[in-house]
Amino acid sequence: MKASLAIFKRNFESPLPEQHTCDVLIVGSGAGGFSAAITARHHGLDVLMVEKEPLFGGTTCYSAGVIWIPNSAQARAAGIDDSADAALTYLESIAGNRLDRARATAFLAAAPEMLAFLEANTHARYGLVPTWADYEPELPGGSNGGRSLAPEPFDGRRLGKRFDQLRPPLQSMMLMGGMMVGRTDLPHLYNMLRVPRSAWHAMGMFARYGVDRINWKRGTRLANGNALIAALALTAQEKGIPLWLGAPVVRLVVEDGRVGGSIVQRDGRETHVVARRGVVLASGGFAGDDALKARLYGHVAAGREHRSLPPATNSGDGIRLATVQGAGFHDDVHHAAAWTPVSLLPQPDGPPLPFPHFLDRGKPGYISVDRRGKRFVNEAKSYHVFVPAMIEACRGDERTECWNICDHAAIRRWGLGAAPPRPGRLKPYIESGYVVSADTPEELARRIGIDPAGLAATIRDYNAGARRGEDPQFGRGTDAYQRFNGAPGHAPNPCVAPLDRPPYYAVRLVPGDIGTFAGLATDVSARVLDQEGRVIDGLYAAGNDMASVMGGTYPGAGITIGPALTFGYVAGRHLAKN
Ligand SMILES: Cc1cc2nc3c(=O)[nH]c(=O)nc-3n(C[C@H](O)[C@H](O)[C@H](O)COP(=O)(O)OP(=O)(O)OC[C@H]3O[C@@H](n4cnc5c(N)ncnc54)[C@H](O)[C@@H]3O)c2cc1C
């Protein structure tokens, strides 16, 4: 009520803002926003989407677009034996008492329905990756594959002029400045010099890219999160959902305790958007809010380096808009964000580009070490496990950093961070200082400023086990997730090989995040709750504005976009019924 008075007072003092009326206002154009918008529209509601940035798609456009959806129709068709109960058992074992059982149950019930809805009513298509295991598959209820699905490629040309408004992927993750590489392309690129079918696939990609660049700023063969958002944006366009770009929501309008719209800045003016049914906050969390990060990320509070990968404009707007109206902020999560180690790619004409290390750490021929030259974690575990181990290893040190190290055989086979494998060129990455190389472990250690004797001893000890395909210190390759990311066919252990082919190479890693986990308190219908746990009428949240349904853990590939799409769908459906 207080807020409503504030708005009326303001309206008396200054000219009334322009007004626009709809049933549902969606704040943000990532996975959560599009899913809510399309679902509400499907049920006959008049929907408006507003996006702060001149580009749409948010962090979802940077992502691999993978979704974690246990018991999907795709999994059942592939004969995978799974159930919501098994998935709930798994979530309970990984998140423990920080799992909100009611919300997790609601997610598991709605997720397969959501996916079937998207496949039937949008251009988005998902394929099961049947061997993509959960990240802790040995825990009760864990799966050795069948819960993670990847988006199929999408032809960006279908968006017409809107293609230029689609946020491109992270610059460091495109080849030749503008070519996307999807999950199914990767094995072909790794094998293009060995397998004729892969050479053919790669040639097709390069040829298409060459033709694209005649007419477009970047490649139009979209993969990953770009494919997902492009497909949803085309559907939204066809369904007549307006999307205002460069139009941030700056305030919620609350009357008699009910959220009935927002003030949106557009073309330098304020527009009062009346939303008869309600507002969905899907503004992507707070990875761009330095103050909140300093409060919630221990290492940032301690002044340590940290790189957030989401756009800096994901600055916690949704969370702030809601909490000033009394919404609850749920930070009782295992981790306030989804962590990933990041390397920094120097640029001749600007700040370095962050590159997330999802894959190379777990391949055979790589280890990660601290400044003592010592390993500190099973490198083949997930990125979300790797970063806390790095922070712990560096606790008493001046900086929080480690080095990913490999030999010549490994770097030419799999690359190192942004440095590509053969036939890509390594030289530019060495010349820029991104990759450091030396003929011996001791010399490499000296060049990167870590303990030479420590690194030499670590490599010697690691190699002794690795020659037998073992990692006695940390047990690399001991579960299906680690083996999934290893080298297919590399026996006896796809995650382990000695580092014994000089020169040796190193790249520096620091902590980073791919999005936030702490967020607004919500109920099973994605409605925002106040600090006493009561529903705030007319206010919903989806995506990273909502506190992680995984309790701040990272159980498997796609555990943020799967719930973002699902709770967007749940919100859209609830808005239509109420
Ligand atoms: C490299 C990388 C790979 C990843 N891969 C995966 C993956 O494969 N699977 C997975 O599950 N997760 C993945 N993630 C994480 C995932 O991308 C995010 O968690 C997810 O996309 C967040 O979706 P969202 O809808 O909440 O927000 P976003 O996609 O970030 O969209 C939010 C939008 O809201 C807009 N906005 C902000 N404030 C306002 C405002 N005031 N008014 C209007 N609009 C506003 C923003 O500009 C943005 O466009 C990855 C992340 C990265 C960086």
Side-chain angles (χ1 to χ4, degrees):
M1 192 62 190
K2 225 193 254 165
S4 137
L5 288 177
I7 292 225
F8 282 124
K9 188 163 173 280
R10 194 182 170 285
N11 286 348
F12 283 123
E13 285 166 357
S14 54
L16 275 176
E18 204 176 285
Q19 193 157 312
H20 179 100
T21 301
C22 60
D23 291 324
V24 180
L25 173 66
I26 310 282
V27 186
S29 62
F34 270 114
S35 176
I38 291 169
T39 309
R41 183 76 198 103
H42 177 81
H43 289 285
L45 299 186
D46 179 8
V47 178
L48 169 66
M49 293 181 76
V50 295
E51 165 56 53
K52 178 182 190 175
E53 291 272 271
L55 303 174
F56 63 89
T59 321
T60 312
C61 274
Y62 288 169
S63 77
V66 175
I67 54 176
W68 193 77
I69 306 287
N71 207 22
S72 64
Q74 286 88 332
R76 287 194 298 277
I80 285 165
D81 183 23
D82 199 4
S83 67
D85 284 349
L88 185 63
T89 302
Y90 175 58
L91 294 184
E92 282 171 341
S93 22
I94 200 164
N97 60 7
R98 288 202 169 97
L99 185 75
D100 177 342
R101 214 168 177 277
R103 280 204 310 139
T105 305
F107 162 67
L108 292 169
E113 280 175 45
M114 175 281 298
L115 183 55
F117 169 83
L118 283 194
E119 296 246 329
N121 297 291
T122 75
H123 295 288
R125 294 289 174 273
Y126 267 94
L128 189 76
V129 189
T131 53
W132 203 333
D134 287 344
Y135 288 0
E136 300 293 344
E138 302 296 323
L139 286 179
S143 163
N144 281 344
R147 292 173 176 167
S148 294
L149 301 99
E152 291 182 3
F154 185 86
D155 188 343
R157 292 173 299 194
R158 293 170 69 189
L159 284 179
K161 285 198 183 120
R162 271 247 131 142
F163 177 64
D164 283 341
Q165 297 169 338
L166 174 68
R167 181 181 283 281
L170 285 173
Q171 187 63 34
S172 62
M173 298 189 83
M174 289 189 287
L175 288 187
M176 298 187 295
M179 186 173 93
M180 289 203 75
V181 177
R183 181 128 205 121
T184 48
D185 301 322
L186 264 181
H188 289 300
L189 294 185
Y190 286 141
N191 290 319
M192 61 193 271
L193 295 183
R194 304 159 174 248
V195 180
R197 199 167 59 89
S198 291
W200 185 247
H201 182 96
M203 269 161 51
M205 287 173 67
F206 290 120
R208 161 78 184 263
Y209 180 62
V211 173
D212 275 347
R213 287 309 293 263
I214 297 169
N215 295 314
W216 305 89
K217 281 192 210 142
R218 64 179 173 108
T220 59
R221 180 180 173 276
L222 305 181
N224 309 334
N226 247 250
L228 169 64
I229 291 295
L232 296 180
L234 182 59
T235 301
Q237 194 173 314
E238 288 168 356
K239 287 183 184 288
I241 301 173
L243 168 57
W244 295 356
L245 296 179
V249 166
V250 292
R251 279 192 305 285
L252 294 175
V253 176
V254 184
E255 285 179 38
D256 300 329
R258 183 171 208 291
V259 175
S262 298
I263 303 297
V264 179
Q265 258 169 12
R266 198 186 180 207
D267 300 330
R269 283 192 312 193
E270 292 199 335
T271 300
H272 177 189
V273 176
V274 177
R276 288 181 289 245
R277 299 282 178 111
V279 174
V280 180
L281 299 172
S283 73
F286 64 89
D289 180 342
D290 289 339
L292 199 46
K293 283 195 294 189
R295 204 179 100 201
L296 296 176
Y297 301 3
H299 62 288
V300 173
R304 303 302 174 95
E305 189 169 356
H306 181 92
R307 296 292 164 136
S308 291
L309 292 177
T313 41
N314 276 24
S315 49
D317 292 2
I319 291 166
R320 233 178 346 266
L321 292 167
T323 48
V324 296
Q325 302 298 343
F329 180 65
H330 184 78
D331 58 5
D332 183 20
V333 284
H334 285 279
H335 293 277
W339 311 123
T340 187
V342 168
S343 59
L344 300 168
L345 188 60
Q347 296 301 298
D349 50 3
L353 299 176
F355 182 94
H357 285 244
F358 295 136
L359 288 177
D360 55 0
R361 297 171 286 107
K363 301 277 186 210
Y366 298 76
I367 54 170
S368 299
V369 298
D370 63 13
R371 73 176 182 84
R372 285 160 284 274
K374 291 200 166 141
R375 293 174 67 209
F376 52 87
V377 70
N378 175 345
E379 297 90 343
K381 287 265 192 190
S382 93
Y383 30 95
H384 191 60
V385 168
F386 186 96
V387 170
M390 182 203 313
I391 292 170
E392 187 55 34
C394 301
R395 188 160 292 279
D397 299 347
E398 210 176 298
R399 288 188 292 271
T400 300
E401 61 189 5
C402 71
W403 287 265
N404 202 16
I405 302 225
C406 67
D407 70 356
H408 192 67
I411 202 169
R412 297 318 278 145
R413 181 76 183 92
W414 306 109
L416 181 60
R422 194 176 278 124
R425 290 179 64 224
L426 199 51
K427 210 168 154 216
Y429 295 87
I430 295 178
E431 283 174 356
S432 74
Y434 175 70
V435 172
V436 178
S437 80
D439 287 336
T440 64
E442 288 85 349
E443 185 52 26
L444 184 70
R446 268 190 285 276
R447 290 194 180 167
I448 57 180
I450 68 172
D451 180 24
L455 180 63
T458 296
I459 292 182
R460 198 176 49 240
D461 293 350
Y462 178 74
N463 283 353
R467 289 197 182 93
R468 301 188 304 273
E470 290 168 10
D471 170 22
Q473 193 179 3
F474 290 111
R476 273 171 75 145
T478 45
D479 68 38
Y481 168 66
Q482 297 171 46
R483 290 194 290 274
F484 172 74
N485 276 331
H490 179 82
N493 184 338
C495 302
V496 172
L499 285 70
D500 54 7
R501 291 261 317 273
Y504 298 91
Y505 300 89
V507 75
R508 178 175 168 267
L509 306 182
V510 297
D513 71 82
I514 58 171
T516 49
F517 278 161
L520 295 170
T522 52
D523 73 356
V524 295
S525 303
R527 290 178 298 182
V528 176
L529 303 175
D530 70 13
Q531 285 162 16
E532 273 75 51
R534 291 170 309 212
V535 166
I536 300 181
D537 277 339
L539 190 61
Y540 296 73
N544 291 350
D545 280 355
M546 164 190 274
S548 155
V549 68
M550 305 292 158
T553 63
Y554 216 108
I559 60 84
T560 75
I561 297 179
L565 291 172
T566 301
F567 281 111
Y569 166 79
V570 165
R573 210 174 45 177
H574 193 272
L575 278 154
K577 283 191 191 146
N578 293 277

